[in-house]
Amino acid sequence: MKNTNEMPTLAELQLTPLPKEFNTLSGPLRYTMTNDALFHIVFEANPEALKAFLCSLLHLIPEEITSVEVTNPIRFGSSIYAKNFVLDLRLLLNNQTVINLEMQVEKLSFWKERSLGYLCRSFDNLNKGNDYLNTKPAVHVGILDFELFPEHPEFFSTYHLSNDITHQKYSDNFRLSVLQLGHTELATEEDRFWQLDLWAQFFKADTWEEIQMLAEKKPYIFNAAKTIYRVTEDERVRQMCEAREEGEKHSEPSSYYIRWSCNKQMMH
């Protein structure tokens, strides 16, 4: 018999039955998509939603995406407890572009430095002896629920290395984008065309009524909503989400793992 204290697999969570009234659920969500654990789980479990989000971020049509690989998949029984495990989504797009998606709610004084560090490590993707021409392009996307530059508020922005005087881009292969969830009112016509405002609404939605309204517009959001329900019905996953939210409130990153270690010991 399977030990009920063991963390479930993603496949097992997807088999959780939905209630008959799922299409008419109302009231607050247990956790929103700004929870980085839920963010990772939902997108890893819903490739079509992940593909659609990448199309919005990168201004691609679906036919331009032939493959998306999650290179740091969640393995609840092992990797989630590893001290160095990060819940950002690390992706390989079309087997040629490295992408890091980071959900960040609490303001960190070192966020800019950390995001640059992630981007630089992603760009340093050659194996020893390989030609530099084989370096894969790297993209880091920060999805933030705090003010990055209060004096220059924006909804979606992209940064490249460029010449200080001529503004000539040094390379298209090194790029950092920021989606600020608190500024949907600043979405440009282009942002709305690529439906980034819809994604921001999805991430910030905190009631089932909001989720149902968005799900009526896009089938992949409906499927993602099913995953939100299924995984947040599991007490063990809720403990993980709670630990992540509590950890966000502390300046020491290790607080995530201290709480996880305590929860793991209690569960066994």
Side-chain angles (χ1 to χ4, degrees):
M1 180 178 295
K2 185 178 178 63
N3 185 346
T4 56
N5 286 328
E6 291 180 1
M7 287 298 290
T9 66
L10 206 49
E12 288 171 338
L13 288 171
Q14 288 288 74
L15 296 177
T16 302
L18 295 172
K20 293 181 179 179
E21 66 275 13
F22 175 75
N23 290 341
T24 57
L25 284 176
S26 61
L29 300 176
R30 294 180 187 270
Y31 295 96
T32 72
M33 285 288 288
T34 57
N35 182 288
D36 60 355
L38 186 61
F39 176 85
H40 186 131
I41 291 170
V42 168
F43 275 124
E44 185 177 334
N46 292 274
E48 287 304 311
L50 179 57
K51 180 178 177 179
F53 184 43
L54 289 175
C55 284
S56 294
L57 287 171
L58 305 177
H59 297 179
L60 301 173
I61 61 174
E63 292 74 20
E64 292 178 282
I65 295 183
T66 57
S67 66
V68 180
E69 176 188 355
V70 177
T71 60
N72 65 330
I74 286 182
R75 296 182 179 88
F76 289 108
S78 55
S79 62
I80 198 65
Y81 294 113
K83 190 171 182 180
N84 62 349
F85 185 70
V86 178
L87 274 173
D88 299 343
L89 266 171
R90 295 172 180 168
L91 311 170
L92 183 59
L93 175 65
N94 293 344
N95 203 34
Q96 64 181 18
T97 302
V98 179
I99 298 176
N100 197 77
L101 302 181
E102 177 183 15
M103 174 65 75
Q104 182 63 41
V105 173
E106 293 295 321
K107 184 172 184 176
L108 300 176
S109 60
F110 52 83
W111 185 87
K112 286 178 285 187
E113 289 73 19
R114 186 175 75 174
S115 60
L116 283 171
Y118 284 176
L119 179 57
C120 289
R121 285 196 293 271
S122 296
F123 189 71
D124 186 17
N125 52 58
L126 282 180
N127 293 321
K128 186 176 180 180
N130 286 357
D131 193 294
Y132 282 107
L133 289 175
N134 295 322
T135 302
K136 292 180 173 63
V139 179
H140 182 87
V141 181
I143 305 157
L144 311 182
D145 202 18
F146 63 87
E147 292 279 359
L148 181 59
F149 297 113
E151 66 280 13
H152 299 294
E154 288 183 278
F155 174 58
F156 183 66
S157 52
T158 295
Y159 302 86
H160 293 85
L161 286 174
S162 64
N163 185 291
D164 286 350
I165 298 174
T166 66
H167 305 294
Q168 169 71 37
K169 280 193 292 188
Y170 194 83
S171 172
D172 278 322
N173 293 338
F174 189 82
R175 161 180 166 184
L176 192 152
S177 294
V178 179
L179 181 65
Q180 297 216 204
L181 300 180
H183 281 304
T184 52
E185 81 283 358
L186 297 179
T188 65
E189 184 176 341
E190 184 177 41
D191 295 332
R192 290 190 292 272
F193 174 83
W194 290 105
Q195 301 183 334
L196 283 168
D197 55 329
L198 183 147
W199 284 109
Q201 292 172 48
F202 177 54
F203 296 147
K204 292 278 286 183
D206 57 9
T207 67
W208 280 110
E209 288 89 345
E210 292 173 273
I211 292 291
Q212 300 289 4
M213 180 186 68
L214 295 169
E216 288 177 0
K217 300 177 181 179
K218 298 294 179 183
Y220 49 76
I221 289 185
F222 180 68
N223 290 329
K226 292 180 184 178
T227 301
I228 292 174
Y229 177 85
R230 284 170 167 144
V231 301
T232 56
E233 282 297 295
D234 189 285
E235 182 179 357
R236 296 158 294 185
V237 177
R238 290 201 301 272
Q239 288 180 346
M240 180 179 72
C241 291
E242 181 179 358
R244 297 301 293 187
E245 288 197 350
E246 287 298 312
E248 282 275 353
K249 299 174 184 177
H250 296 76
S251 59
E252 288 294 329
S254 59
S255 61
Y256 294 138
Y257 309 107
I258 292 172
R259 292 172 186 273
W260 259 106
S261 178
C262 292
N263 282 342
K264 185 180 179 184
Q265 292 176 18
M266 290 172 63
M267 287 163 59
H268 291 280

